[in-house]
Amino acid sequence: MSDEQLKLAAAIFADLPDHRHHRGLNHSLVNIVVMALCAVMSGADTFPEIQTFVQSKREWFRRFLTFRRVPDHETFRRVLSKLDPIAFQSSALDWVKQAVGGKLEGDILSIDGKRLRGTSAHEVQGIHMVNVWTARHGLCLSAQAVKGKQNELSTLPSVLDTLAYLDVAGCIVTIDAMGTQRTVAKKLVALQAQYVLALKGNQDTLFEDVQEMFDDAARRLFADTALLGVSTWDDRRRDERRTCWVLPASPDLDDHEWPGLQSVALIESSRVVKGKRVSQRRLFLCSFAADPLTALHAVRTHWQVENSLHWVLDVAFAEDANVTVADHGAENLAVLRRWALNLMRQEGSVGAINKNRKRAGWDDLYRDRLLQQLSPDPT
């Protein structure tokens, strides 16, 4: 990758607003953000580690950035803590839109919150990041911070506004029970997206009515009902069996005035734990016609956000160990980690993410290729 291409890639951050007093500034905002992103991609998890990495690779950085000296760790801490997280997220969103080609039709998007455990020592409830994950592209589309898990619901409208920017018509959006709200369903219908929403006791009367629908079908031994079902069996690591039953939303549910509701699903799963078979029943609201294969696939795919994003951030990026809390520091570092993960996934090299982070620290050419993913049209 040429030096000019590296400069083009770094320029993606040129429009970030810099609210610092410009008189006497020693380091540009673009330099600090690009240095921090490259350091995080290369294994740095703290501000002192970011400084150390940049010092060790300062000649590489001078190929495409202009600076007299390397910022110290307090400068990285101060600038990234004051950086406007909305503007930072907006730049990430612009890149994501180009990476996925604008439209996400037919994809499954999972929305789920992740607690930054290291912030709980200073914040009573800690900071949570509400993430949007695309199963087809394997990327984190968006991440927004809230304080406390109970505040995730208040953030969902702005998260859904993000989806509007990406054009999610024809997608299936999956959310856990906290997001099972009429306002959420209404907004998804307006976006022409489908939904699969977990149904639990927080929607008490609706939960009871849907449960009664399936109980009634079982009492009639499934005869003379519109019940459809499909079963799967997985024995690679554990004996797990899953059956998905679906019913069209009956007129009995009309009183609930649930936007876009067309069918309801019941997933019965059982697995062997310590020699005993343990069973579980879960209910879901679906905005598409009764289709057990689609419903089961969407519910199973939702777990990618846990396995391919949250778990990787904890294991490969030590996210839970980070105790940054000042101003927007925790949120912006979290966004940097998701930037780094997205660039690695977009570049496509095989191997574990923690291994590839070390490789990025050792191999300048590999780091070149990762940074090249920032450029919308590398030449």
Side-chain angles (χ1 to χ4, degrees):
M1 187 177 185
S2 70
D3 295 356
E4 289 303 315
Q5 289 174 324
L6 288 171
K7 290 178 182 178
L8 179 63
I12 194 172
F13 299 111
D15 293 331
L16 280 177
D18 190 349
H19 299 297
R20 296 175 296 168
H21 297 294
H22 292 282
R23 183 176 179 181
L25 286 182
N26 294 316
H27 308 285
S28 75
L29 182 59
V30 171
N31 282 5
I32 289 175
V33 172
V34 172
M35 288 174 177
L37 175 60
C38 292
V40 169
M41 287 193 304
S42 304
D45 295 321
T46 66
F47 292 115
E49 290 176 358
I50 290 173
Q51 177 190 347
T52 300
F53 173 78
V54 177
Q55 285 175 332
S56 68
K57 294 294 182 179
R58 55 186 174 274
E59 296 308 317
W60 180 82
F61 281 108
R62 286 198 171 105
R63 290 174 52 194
F64 59 99
L65 299 179
T66 302
F67 58 94
R68 290 184 301 166
R69 59 184 176 83
V70 172
D72 62 32
H73 64 91
E74 285 299 331
T75 299
F76 281 112
R77 186 193 311 276
R78 182 174 60 256
V79 174
L80 291 175
S81 295
K82 296 295 184 182
L83 177 63
D84 182 357
I86 296 177
F88 196 24
Q89 185 64 247
S90 178
S91 65
L93 199 57
D94 288 338
W95 177 84
V96 163
K97 188 173 183 178
Q98 294 166 343
V100 301
K103 292 188 176 182
L104 294 159
E105 185 175 0
D107 204 347
I108 296 178
L109 308 183
S110 304
I111 301 177
D112 197 25
K114 181 185 182 301
R115 177 185 173 193
L116 305 182
R117 296 183 182 276
T119 65
S120 298
H122 303 276
E123 300 286 344
V124 174
Q125 297 175 323
I127 295 174
H128 289 243
M129 299 297 294
V130 180
N131 302 303
V132 183
W133 173 262
T134 161
R136 178 188 297 168
H137 298 278
L139 300 173
C140 180
L141 299 181
S142 173
Q144 298 186 32
V146 295
K147 288 189 176 181
K149 184 173 179 61
Q150 68 272 22
N151 293 323
E152 288 182 16
L153 179 59
S154 64
T155 303
L156 278 177
S158 62
V159 172
L160 297 181
D161 288 339
T162 296
L163 298 185
Y165 177 72
L166 294 172
D167 188 359
V168 295
C171 289
I172 297 178
V173 178
T174 62
I175 312 177
D176 64 16
M178 179 170 287
T180 305
Q181 306 289 334
R182 289 176 182 81
T183 53
V184 171
K186 183 178 180 180
K187 198 148 193 172
L188 289 172
V189 170
L191 294 173
Q192 300 179 29
Q194 306 288 356
Y195 62 72
V196 175
L197 305 177
L199 180 60
K200 293 185 179 179
N202 61 328
Q203 297 288 340
D204 50 1
T205 57
L206 178 58
F207 179 82
E208 293 168 1
D209 288 347
V210 172
Q211 197 169 42
E212 176 60 29
M213 288 174 59
F214 285 105
D215 290 343
D216 180 63
R219 283 194 295 269
R220 288 189 282 164
L221 301 177
F222 310 132
D224 301 322
T225 72
L227 191 73
L228 299 172
V230 64
S231 297
T232 63
W233 178 42
D234 183 2
D235 66 346
R236 288 177 302 165
R237 296 180 180 177
R238 60 187 183 185
D239 180 354
E240 182 171 1
R241 302 171 186 177
R242 295 175 292 272
T243 301
C244 179
W245 302 101
V246 294
L247 282 167
S250 72
D252 294 339
L253 300 181
D254 290 347
D255 292 342
H256 295 283
E257 300 180 346
W258 200 271
L261 181 62
Q262 291 194 42
S263 62
V264 291
L266 165 66
I267 295 181
E268 296 180 315
S269 59
S270 66
R271 59 191 179 95
V272 176
V273 179
K274 296 181 179 180
K276 296 182 180 180
R277 183 162 291 279
V278 179
S279 299
Q280 182 184 33
R281 287 164 53 106
R282 293 171 290 162
L283 296 175
F284 300 88
L285 306 178
C286 306
S287 65
F288 45 83
D291 182 347
L293 278 173
T294 300
L296 182 58
H297 177 61
V299 171
R300 292 288 297 162
T301 302
H302 179 82
W303 287 103
Q304 280 192 22
V305 71
E306 294 285 353
N307 299 329
S308 299
L309 179 62
H310 297 175
W311 186 85
V312 172
L313 288 170
D314 284 338
V315 173
F317 288 86
E319 182 164 81
D320 277 350
N322 197 289
V323 296
T324 301
V325 294
D327 298 317
H328 304 300
E331 179 177 358
N332 286 331
L333 275 178
V335 172
L336 276 177
R337 287 188 285 267
R338 285 153 180 78
W339 263 106
L341 180 58
N342 281 350
L343 295 178
M344 288 181 169
R345 291 264 168 76
Q346 193 72 2
E347 191 272 337
S349 291
V350 298
I353 295 297
N354 54 353
K355 181 201 75 174
N356 284 337
R357 286 187 80 199
K358 292 181 178 179
R359 179 184 174 189
W362 299 327
D363 186 345
D364 291 351
L365 293 179
Y366 177 56
R367 196 182 321 107
D368 278 1
R369 295 203 304 273
L370 292 178
L371 198 61
Q372 182 179 355
Q373 304 309 311
L374 285 174
S375 179
D377 186 22
T379 56

